[in-house]
Amino acid sequence: MIFAGRHFKFEFPGRALIMGIVNVTPDSFSDGGQFFNPDRAIEHAQDLFREGAQMIDVGGESTRPGAPAVEEPEELRSVLPVIEALVKSVQVPISVDTHKPAVACAALKVGASIINDIAANRSDDEMWRVAADTGAGYILMHMQGTPQTMHLAPKYADVVSEVSDFFADRLKQVQRCGVKPEQVMLDPGIGFGKTVKHNLELLAALAQFKVHERPLLLGVSRKSFIGKLVGGEVQDRGPGSLACAVWAVLSGVHCIRTHDVAPTCQALRMIEEIQHAG
Ligand code: 9MG
């Protein structure tokens, strides 16, 4: 299986990938907005690259539950200078975390390679046409609702089968728009319109999503369900995040999206060593 798009190609089976997170937002829940300054964001991304990230995800709109939406011009002003600088200074694909087709388009024009679309529950085709026309990688994430509403009353009869049906349906829709299967990575969207119980059920069932024959990405880094389960403020959720990452890779996940690249790299390399010895 491959995940490939403009400027990049990853083959599986192979090493699990690590996507480092760079939030260029004033109010990110997980890093307190400390990388809102573009120069700091660029330096931080370069650190994540040196620590072993194989992709860098740059976002200009907080996805914290209830976070206010960011207008397009502001999002463009935040992310474009950072992406432009990173394309020249790190040798890994840059992904743009946006649900706005115009922002994705502009980011791809300055050299981004992947669209991280948390709003693949969208009802129009425009983002998929951007992915088809540019050949960009496309991360297709499940979310119930929007970041402004998703925490209010998440409801599923069976979260695992609903997310799986969503993947099947969206894979058909994106291909109808001209996106090739190899461009797509699937993501169950932990924390996006899910209760703690829904998140745990999805984590327990990750291996079931292999049926879609696409690589899987998981983002759990510092998320609130970890704090709710084992206690701890955002800055104390590293060990819980790492446990989920290890569980995910052992369940067949191909890419971990994380703030903490160095510890995640070390944990995943240890799994590989143990697997090779067995
Ligand atoms: C932007 N963002 C925040 N959490 C995320 C997750 O779990 N997956 C993806 N793809 N993006 C996320």
Side-chain angles (χ1 to χ4, degrees), residues 27-228:
D27 64 341
S28 161
F29 81 98
S30 48
D31 51 32
Q34 56 179 316
F35 305 115
F36 186 44
N37 171 321
D39 291 334
R40 289 219 56 206
I42 293 162
E43 273 171 33
H44 179 60
Q46 290 166 339
D47 285 345
L48 297 184
F49 166 67
R50 280 189 287 271
E51 288 172 17
Q54 290 107 330
M55 291 181 235
I56 304 283
D57 192 35
V58 180
E61 180 169 9
S62 173
T63 52
R64 183 172 49 82
V70 171
E71 296 297 323
E72 197 170 289
E74 189 185 337
E75 193 176 335
L76 287 167
R77 260 197 312 277
S78 317
V79 298
L80 289 187
V82 175
I83 292 175
E84 218 166 354
L86 291 180
V87 167
K88 294 183 199 132
S89 62
V90 301
Q91 290 75 51
V92 293
I94 306 301
S95 122
V96 59
D97 156 20
T98 186
H99 59 88
K100 299 186 185 78
V103 174
C105 235
L108 294 165
K109 270 203 188 110
V110 298
S113 304
I114 300 168
I115 304 165
N116 177 18
D117 186 9
I118 63 154
N121 57 345
R122 60 185 58 254
S123 54
D124 63 275
D125 290 355
E126 205 183 330
M127 185 68 108
W128 302 331
R129 298 203 184 282
V130 172
D133 293 347
T134 57
Y138 180 72
I139 298 168
L140 186 164
M141 198 197 80
H142 177 274
M143 168 167 59
Q144 190 177 83
T146 66
Q148 288 74 44
T149 63
M150 63 187 184
H151 55 295
L152 298 177
K155 225 186 212 129
Y156 302 86
D158 175 346
V159 69
V160 175
S161 58
E162 285 181 43
V163 170
S164 196
D165 291 349
F166 171 83
F167 286 156
D169 174 72
R170 286 307 191 268
L171 277 168
K172 273 195 215 132
Q173 291 203 39
V174 300
Q175 285 178 69
R176 180 179 46 73
C177 290
V179 178
K180 297 194 195 88
E182 68 189 44
Q183 284 173 253
V184 182
M185 184 140 70
L186 302 176
D187 180 346
I190 296 296
F192 285 85
K194 282 118 188 160
T195 61
V196 171
K197 183 166 174 281
H198 297 141
N199 290 325
L200 289 175
E201 285 170 359
L202 285 167
L203 286 167
L206 285 170
Q208 294 185 32
F209 299 127
K210 287 181 200 166
V211 293
H212 300 291
E213 297 181 348
R214 296 309 312 138
L216 295 171
L217 179 144
L218 193 83
V220 286
S221 190
R222 304 181 186 172
K223 287 195 177 171
S224 64
F225 80 102
I226 298 173
K228 286 179 188 155

Side-chain angles (χ1 to χ4, degrees), residues 1-2 10-18 54 215 249 252-255 268-269 271-272 275-276:
M1 193 159 52
I2 62 170
F10 294 111
E11 292 190 351
F12 306 104
R15 288 190 144 185
L17 304 173
I18 293 177
Q54 290 107 330
V249 169
V253 164
H254 304 81
C255 181
L268 300 191
R269 295 298 86 91
I271 300 181
E272 278 169 19
Q275 283 174 330
H276 284 151

